[in-house]
Amino acid sequence: MAQYSRVSGAIGLITLQNPPVNALSAAVRQGIVDTVKRALSDPKVNSVVICGQNGIFCGGADIKEFGKNMSGPPLVPMIHAIEAANKPVVAAIEGSALGGGLELALGCHYRIAHSKARLGLPEVSLGLLPAAGGTQRLPRLIGVPAALELITTGRHVTAAEALQLGVVDMVTDHSTVDAAIKFALNVAGKPLDGRRISTYPCPRQSDLDSLFEEVMQKVRKSARGAIAPVACVQAVRAAATQPYLQGMEREKELMATLFTSGQARALQYCFFAQRAVGRWSMPSGARWDTSKARPVHKAAVIGLGTMGRGITVALAQTGLSVVAVETQEKQFMEAKQAVSGMLERGAKRRGVAPALDKISYSRDIQAVADVDLVIEAVFEDMALKKTVFQQLSAVCKPGTFLCTNTSGLDVDHLASQTRNPELVVGMHFFAPAHVMKLLEVVYGPQSSPQAVATAMQLGKKMGKVSVAVGNCQGFVGNRMLKPYLEQALFLLEEGATPELVDRALEEFGFPMGVFRMSDLSGLDVGWRVRKGDGLVEPGSGQPARIRKGRRYSPLGDLLCEQGRFGQKTGRGWYQYDKPGSRVAKSDPWLHNFLEEYRARHGLVAHRIDHQEVLERCLYALINEGFRILEDGIAAGPEDIDIIYVFGYGWPRHRGGPMFYAGMVGLAKVLERLEHYHHAHPDVPYLQPCSLLRRLVASGSPPVHSWREVIKKLHSQL
Ligand code: NAI
């Protein structure tokens, strides 16, 4: 709702009231319409101030109302009525003015912001555009290039930047409402003709066509198939080239298309899924809600290689004291330098002092005796990790949480090496650990809810999206990746090229196709793991394509034997100008190699199209996702989807693999898996998972009700 009061004799003060962010719900919109009418008809009132309660102006539309039948007054005429008022209306912006909140402020005649306020039009991140005149007023106010940048990225700006851009008229360090009231008293009675943004012409811009063409190209490239940023450009183009009312029509039309698109639904699903993933309980029923978390003031990192360095930086940037332990002299010196460099660069970017003094380095594990939590990041070697956990268990004070960053080793086995296995969890960061948002928190049967809650909470403090998952080989993300990677190799054997497979996946929306990605992360990593698993047949020249009774592709092993490790050696699935170079170029050697390989194994290449690439790679991955749900390794489809969106580059506008399966239609996914399994009976993971069959049999319910089906399935087991 909106509360009305009269202050300082002649000011009508309207306060939006809808905790926590004063979202523009139907009741709030009705309140605004009523109170504005009242203020304008009150003869004692000369001007009006609109503010929000509890230090927040307005966080925008009420996302809970999306997809439901709209009730209450619509936003556009409400904002028009404010702009058309014959008394000055001043927006007093504290906290945030986002989306519809900023559009409301743009309908006011003046805007005063608190210095700590943030402003922005983030609709694009939900697959929408600012459809209450935002795309038409903002370019008229601040010019086309700046408006395009803000609207297509959804970026929030500080009050200082908003002032510089001309979005607000004044910034104050004191009470914004007091400043706005004073301001409103001053401007009372002054003409308002020059203050109605919709009447402004768009600032002139030379060579408008080429500007839009350039921006459109840039946006299409970075949007990777998302349609909202493109629609934002089209709407701003209408502002720049058409009269206001026609521009508003265009804005409405574009919004209608976006609103009903699957992409907006996917992005809104991700928005809610991200908030939901921290809240679930372990299969035992024990909860890890954050109230159980123990505060962590001092942490330790063991092993300062690629991952340990990033984790140390991320911890120090969070404000924790960190003890960083590395045993090898050379690595120790290099790591110290690298960590300082990363901290300095990060601090420079964020305009703060680098947290160098938060870290103490040691070559002796005894230095971790008094820390609250340890993250182990030594080589991926079970024997070594076991020794480290035994040492930690002996050295650390009682109650210290012991976490491992292993990407796949058995967390339970490590826990069994310690005196208190309930204190052990996996904290699986992604490279580079100070940049990547995802954290898988891996719990075993003995991990205590407090240990899980503490790791989840620490992840959150570090700015990560933490998802709790059960312990199994590869956890959630890497377990699902395995069939995806393997299908890509099989496609090469059957006639595809790395270029074709990568193009199909990149057009789908992945930032990088599977082969460019493995060139980047290094082919040798998987090779070492496969060797450890006894899968690699050394030096036979013509290795078999079956291992342990199932189809196996030795292609990656053959490349590694030739020293083709990817970018680091300048050759992999592609060629590079020099080792370390990032520009992948098609490699005729590789194409010849594939032809010879097929000939040697009697494989006849067939024509593979993008559809087949997507179906085989993605449905194999999705099928594994269903198995993970069936096994109780992930609490729900949302958890899997968030892992894929934040850790594996799954395009957010496609909602994550499980949501995507629902969009495609579960029956279709099932039918295609059956088809491919029939064609490749030696690939067991193509056999459709029974949970998928069950969901199809129960009428393919929407993704948010899968948990119920899973629960029933578990209760029957
Ligand atoms: P790395 O080889 O770059 O670094 C390991 C470091 O541990 C080396 O500096 C080594 O000297 C040090 N170390 C070995 N024994 C030690 C001991 N007893 N005490 C202290 N330091 C010791 O390895 P990386 O890539 O950083 O991986 C570390 C862990 O993180 C592995 O378990 C790996 O599976 C996991 N991981 C790796 C990812 C990646 O992309 N590299 C991603 C996610 C997890």
Side-chain angles (χ1 to χ4, degrees):
M1 55 176 270
Q3 192 192 49
Y4 179 72
S5 58
R6 191 143 58 75
V7 292
S8 303
I11 306 288
L13 179 66
I14 296 173
T15 310
L16 313 188
Q17 295 180 325
N18 183 16
V21 296
N22 302 320
L24 293 163
S25 63
V28 172
R29 296 196 304 274
Q30 189 63 57
I32 297 174
V33 168
D34 295 344
T35 49
V36 167
K37 220 182 253 168
R38 190 162 155 201
L40 297 183
S41 59
D42 184 342
K44 294 209 182 76
V45 165
N46 295 333
S47 20
V48 181
V49 169
I50 304 182
C51 65
Q53 73 172 5
N54 297 334
I56 293 171
F57 180 69
C58 175
D62 191 345
I63 187 168
K64 285 192 274 276
E65 286 184 1
F66 284 9
K68 298 193 181 134
N69 274 339
M70 268 291 260
S71 60
L75 217 46
V76 170
M78 181 191 96
I79 294 174
H80 273 151
I82 291 171
E83 192 184 56
N86 54 7
K87 297 175 186 177
V89 183
V90 183
I93 302 171
E94 284 179 318
S96 48
L98 298 176
L102 180 55
E103 292 179 292
L104 167 65
L106 291 173
C108 297
H109 305 114
Y110 300 94
R111 285 155 296 281
I112 316 276
H114 188 266
S115 51
K116 295 224 167 82
R118 315 278 290 177
L119 298 88
L121 294 172
E123 285 83 349
V124 71
S125 61
L126 291 177
L128 302 172
L129 53 72
T135 66
Q136 303 304 301
R137 286 197 180 88
L138 195 63
R140 286 179 160 80
L141 184 64
I142 66 171
V144 171
L148 271 173
E149 197 267 323
L150 290 189
I151 295 173
T152 55
T153 61
R155 185 169 72 87
H156 298 181
V157 295
T158 59
E161 192 180 348
L163 183 66
Q164 199 189 13
L165 287 169
V167 180
V168 298
D169 303 288
M170 192 180 122
V171 173
T172 176
D173 285 324
H174 306 289
S175 157
T176 318
V177 177
D178 288 352
I181 290 171
K182 202 163 149 208
F183 190 93
L185 285 168
N186 268 337
V187 294
K190 290 200 176 149
L192 289 169
D193 285 344
R195 304 297 316 175
R196 296 187 176 102
I197 299 173
S198 71
T199 64
Y200 296 4
C202 230
R204 266 181 196 285
Q205 184 72 45
S206 61
D207 211 355
L208 208 57
D209 283 341
S210 58
L211 170 78
F212 275 104
E213 204 167 302
E214 197 182 301
V215 173
M216 193 57 113
Q217 263 181 23
K218 205 170 123 203
V219 162
R220 275 193 208 279
K221 195 159 172 237
S222 61
R224 296 193 273 124
I227 54 176
V230 174
C232 287
V233 179
Q234 290 168 327
V236 174
R237 194 188 174 104
T241 54
Q242 294 176 13
Y244 173 73
L245 284 178
Q246 266 167 275
M248 285 300 284
E249 274 307 306
R250 184 77 179 124
E251 183 187 271
K252 191 171 157 188
E253 239 169 63
L254 288 163
M255 178 64 163
T257 316
L258 292 179
F259 207 78
T260 50
S261 76
Q263 293 198 0
R265 252 188 298 151
L267 288 157
Q268 285 153 32
Y269 162 81
C270 282
F271 177 86
F272 287 114
Q274 193 181 338
R275 275 148 193 77
V277 292
R279 291 193 214 122
W280 306 105
S281 51
M282 294 150 98
S284 64
R287 290 188 66 83
W288 53 67
D289 55 90
T290 42
S291 61
K292 291 211 177 79
R294 212 176 332 125
V296 176
H297 304 292
K298 192 169 182 182
V301 179
I302 315 288
L304 300 181
T306 314
M307 294 306 289
R309 294 174 194 187
I311 298 168
T312 303
V313 169
L315 287 167
Q317 281 175 346
T318 310
L320 267 72
S321 298
V322 189
V323 182
V325 180
E326 166 63 54
T327 44
Q328 288 184 24
E329 175 69 25
K330 187 166 169 275
Q331 285 285 78
F332 182 82
M333 299 312 289
E334 280 175 13
K336 262 173 110 163
Q337 227 179 9
V339 168
S340 301
M342 289 195 278
L343 278 174
E344 271 158 10
R345 283 191 297 277
K348 198 168 160 201
R349 233 185 352 262
R350 292 183 298 155
V352 295
L356 299 171
D357 57 342
K358 287 278 169 199
I359 307 172
S360 62
Y361 294 89
S362 174
R363 298 193 50 204
D364 185 356
I365 203 161
Q366 299 288 339
V368 307
D370 66 340
V371 304
D372 306 308
L373 181 142
V374 182
I375 302 173
E376 166 279 310
V378 303
F379 301 126
E380 186 79 338
D381 173 333
M382 188 45 120
L384 172 64
K385 286 196 197 269
K386 267 164 76 172
T387 312
V388 170
F389 269 75
Q390 286 158 7
Q391 287 173 332
L392 288 171
S393 184
V395 168
C396 292
K397 67 180 182 190
T400 300
F401 296 109
L402 304 181
C403 312
T404 172
N405 182 47
T406 176
S407 17
L409 297 178
D410 187 349
V411 177
D412 300 341
H413 198 58
L414 290 176
S416 70
Q417 306 300 310
T418 67
R419 276 186 304 214
N420 299 95
E422 71 279 7
L423 298 174
V424 176
V425 290
M427 283 184 87
H428 183 209
F429 291 88
F430 289 72
H434 60 302
V435 177
M436 288 291 284
K437 288 288 254 180
L438 179 65
L439 171 68
E440 281 183 328
V441 172
V442 187
Y443 60 87
Q446 300 196 64
S447 312
S448 70
Q450 188 180 45
V452 181
T454 304
M456 293 285 282
Q457 177 82 337
L458 178 60
K460 197 169 168 195
K461 245 178 116 179
M462 292 164 85
K464 307 291 177 201
V465 179
S466 319
V467 185
V469 300
N471 183 26
C472 66
Q473 195 162 26
F475 315 132
V476 170
N478 288 345
R479 174 168 159 182
M480 288 168 68
L481 202 62
K482 213 171 152 197
Y484 166 84
L485 297 175
E486 209 171 56
Q487 283 298 313
L489 291 178
F490 294 164
L491 285 164
L492 295 191
E493 292 186 338
E494 292 165 32
T497 59
E499 291 84 343
L500 175 106
V501 174
D502 282 355
R503 217 173 302 123
L505 294 168
E506 285 161 19
E507 277 175 19
F508 178 78
F510 281 101
M512 233 183 246
V514 52
F515 293 108
R516 284 215 292 140
M517 188 68 217
S518 57
D519 269 3
L520 172 69
S521 47
L523 273 63
D524 52 321
V525 182
W527 189 38
R528 227 172 297 129
V529 175
R530 292 192 297 277
K531 273 185 181 169
D533 290 346
L535 289 168
V536 176
E537 263 181 24
S540 67
Q542 192 170 330
R545 294 176 41 251
I546 291 279
R547 295 283 191 288
K548 300 182 179 171
R550 33 170 85 187
R551 182 170 172 188
Y552 177 85
S553 172
L555 281 173
D557 305 339
L558 292 171
L559 256 56
C560 286
E561 276 168 24
Q562 307 243 4
R564 296 180 72 107
F565 291 172
Q567 283 184 11
K568 60 176 111 168
T569 57
R571 296 275 184 280
W573 298 109
Y574 294 92
Q575 58 176 329
Y576 301 84
D577 281 343
K578 55 177 191 308
S581 156
R582 285 174 168 257
V583 184
K585 292 185 178 156
S586 190
D587 189 349
W589 179 91
L590 198 273
H591 296 154
N592 278 338
F593 161 77
L594 287 176
E595 272 171 33
E596 280 170 25
Y597 174 88
R598 288 182 204 119
R600 235 181 301 136
H601 288 278
L603 295 162
V604 183
H606 75 269
R607 224 187 74 78
I608 290 165
D609 58 12
H610 282 199
Q611 172 94 352
E612 180 169 356
V613 173
L614 293 183
E615 286 183 352
R616 290 202 28 206
C617 293
L618 302 185
Y619 295 176
L621 175 147
I622 287 167
N623 200 29
E624 197 59 37
F626 281 114
R627 288 212 175 85
I628 282 173
L629 289 175
E630 197 173 68
D631 294 350
I633 293 294
E638 295 86 353
D639 302 64
I640 295 179
D641 286 336
I642 289 303
I643 286 173
Y644 261 80
V645 166
F646 284 95
Y648 293 84
W650 185 283
R652 203 179 158 91
H653 61 270
R654 294 193 192 266
M658 307 322 282
F659 181 87
Y660 175 71
M663 292 290 274
V664 170
L666 298 185
K668 159 113 194 275
V669 174
L670 174 62
E671 182 269 310
R672 297 316 289 158
L673 279 168
E674 271 170 343
H675 166 84
Y676 288 119
H677 186 233
H678 186 70
H680 306 279
D682 51 357
V683 185
Y685 57 72
L686 286 176
Q687 179 167 25
C689 162
S690 59
L691 173 62
L692 171 59
R693 287 189 189 285
R694 216 181 160 103
L695 285 164
V696 172
S698 56
S700 300
V703 68
H704 62 260
S705 44
W706 292 4
R707 274 169 205 271
E708 283 309 308
V709 179
I710 298 166
K711 228 197 256 163
K712 251 192 243 154
L713 187 77
H714 283 160
S715 68
Q716 285 165 11
L717 288 178

